Amino acid sequence: MTGQLYYQDIAVGDEITPLVKQPTSRQLVMWAGASGDFNPIHYDKDLALSRGLPGVIVPGQLAGCFLGQLITDWIGDGGRLKKLSLSYKGMNLPGKTLTCRGRVTKKYLEDSEHYLVCSLWVEGAAGEKTITGTAVVTLPSRG
Amino acid sequence: MTESLPTIGGLKDKIGVEWPLGVYEIEKGMIRRFVQAIEDPNPLWQDEEYAARSQYGGIVAPPTFIMTIGFEQIQKLLAASSGTLLHGSTELECYQPLRAGNVITATAKVANIRERPGKMGKMTFITFGISYQNQRQELVAKCRQMVISY
């Protein structure tokens, strides 16, 4: 982990260090086992095609967890993720590169805690936003 | 506990009614399998010595882990009477870190149901509200999950 981020280090508009992921079909199997999510559209290609999908698709929550990692990597051990909202807008396919991105949209103090609001998104290989979201986090304060 | 789950056809009559999804003992191995699956190498989730020196004082799960707990029960319920299930959205609120050793009781209710025609036939949008309590009956997290069935 890199050095701890503090509330005073951040300005509205700052970009979160992007996180690049390339989910594979192996990862989808591991996710199914770890999450208990055995929805066949995530492992049965023929079934997925018959349901009008472009093929086996990456579970929304798996890509959502990538956005969670984007945040926890960035806020460090001293920060806390308080809220995470995710809207699964498009399909991510295994084997394609996903880029998790975010930007700080607001900072405020409440009950002596230091809050940031960040807008988040997952960018597919063609630059389209396949997931959009919002995170509310707290950070430690200097001094 | 799954025998007390309502069927999808009966969900509309169950709006606001709570039912148990299960009791989950959070083990280190469970957290390890999860972070290996999402490929998140953060030592807070796996390295006992590192985590012991952190503000948490021990291994915690990534905050996203809890949104998978009990969701498999909801999927199982809906899969029995759905053609295809897609995930629409997730809204997670975390009140406490989830620690290895916690015993979590997950409780769900149907918050709302909407139907509308889609290109693959009738689509049903079902929003569940799930709450997670630890062994001390403290609220650890809440999660709203919207699922699309067609």
Side-chain angles (χ1 to χ4, degrees):
Chain A
M1 301 291 106
T2 49
Q4 179 59 51
L5 197 66
Y6 289 89
Y7 183 75
Q8 288 80 2
D9 302 337
I10 301 297
V12 169
D14 281 359
E15 196 194 341
I16 299 172
T17 315
L19 175 70
V20 176
K21 291 279 195 176
Q22 190 159 22
T24 59
S25 46
R26 178 176 185 272
Q27 186 167 30
L28 268 52
V29 174
M30 290 176 74
W31 168 264
S35 69
D37 174 359
F38 292 101
N39 188 337
I41 61 172
H42 305 311
Y43 59 81
D44 186 335
K45 186 180 175 187
D46 293 340
L47 179 137
L49 290 171
S50 77
R51 301 284 167 79
L53 300 171
V56 165
I57 60 170
V58 175
Q61 284 202 139
L62 172 56
C65 288
F66 298 161
L67 286 177
Q69 184 186 345
L70 172 83
I71 289 292
T72 50
D73 281 355
W74 183 65
I75 63 178
D77 297 353
R80 289 279 177 102
L81 176 63
K82 298 283 191 178
K83 285 186 194 176
L84 181 66
S85 306
L86 302 165
S87 182
Y88 310 111
K89 301 203 167 284
M91 311 276 174
N92 293 305
L93 302 177
K96 304 281 186 199
T97 300
L98 304 181
T99 309
C100 302
R101 296 184 185 279
R103 191 174 293 285
V104 179
T105 56
K106 194 176 169 186
K107 34 184 310 198
Y108 62 96
L109 276 164
E110 194 177 284
D111 301 329
S112 64
E113 287 214 90
H114 296 73
Y115 284 88
L116 302 180
V117 182
C118 306
S119 108
L120 309 175
W121 63 98
V122 172
E123 219 171 75
E128 77 284 16
K129 289 182 181 179
T130 56
I131 300 181
T132 58
T134 306
V136 178
V137 304
T138 57
L139 281 183
S141 169
R142 280 189 201 282
Chain B
M1 293 179 112
T2 51
E3 63 272 15
S4 57
L5 294 175
T7 63
I8 192 169
L11 283 178
K12 270 189 211 163
D13 303 326
K14 299 281 184 185
I15 289 174
V17 177
E18 293 199 321
W19 81 90
L21 291 176
V23 178
Y24 297 80
E25 190 174 343
I26 308 304
E27 299 154 340
K28 277 180 284 191
M30 211 171 167
I31 298 173
R32 190 184 323 117
R33 275 195 301 280
F34 179 80
V35 298
Q36 283 171 347
I38 67 171
E39 297 181 351
D40 180 346
N42 192 326
L44 270 182
W45 324 139
Q46 292 193 72
D47 183 333
E48 293 204 40
E49 285 180 24
Y50 179 93
R53 290 193 307 269
S54 74
Q55 61 155 324
Y56 299 101
I59 285 182
V60 288
T64 49
F65 176 64
I66 206 158
M67 67 194 190
T68 66
I69 293 178
F71 190 59
E72 82 290 350
Q73 294 299 327
I74 287 176
Q75 293 228 325
K76 207 192 280 179
L77 157 76
L78 298 178
S81 47
S82 292
T84 306
L85 276 183
L86 294 177
H87 204 164
S89 63
T90 303
E91 287 171 48
L92 174 68
E93 287 188 50
C94 305
Y95 305 109
Q96 283 191 31
L98 181 64
R99 296 171 184 284
N102 277 176
V103 180
I104 297 295
T105 301
T107 308
K109 67 180 179 199
V110 179
N112 72 66
I113 300 185
R114 288 182 292 126
E115 287 176 346
R116 71 166 192 240
K119 57 175 191 271
M120 303 290 285
K122 186 179 79 176
M123 303 180 88
T124 309
F125 298 74
I126 310 162
T127 305
F128 294 88
I130 307 165
S131 65
Y132 299 97
Q133 284 193 329
N134 66 15
Q135 65 278 17
R136 294 181 294 274
Q137 281 73 52
E138 297 159 343
L139 190 61
V140 171
K142 279 205 277 193
C143 194
R144 278 172 82 85
Q145 296 276 21
M146 195 269 278
V147 178
I148 305 160
S149 163
Y150 64 90

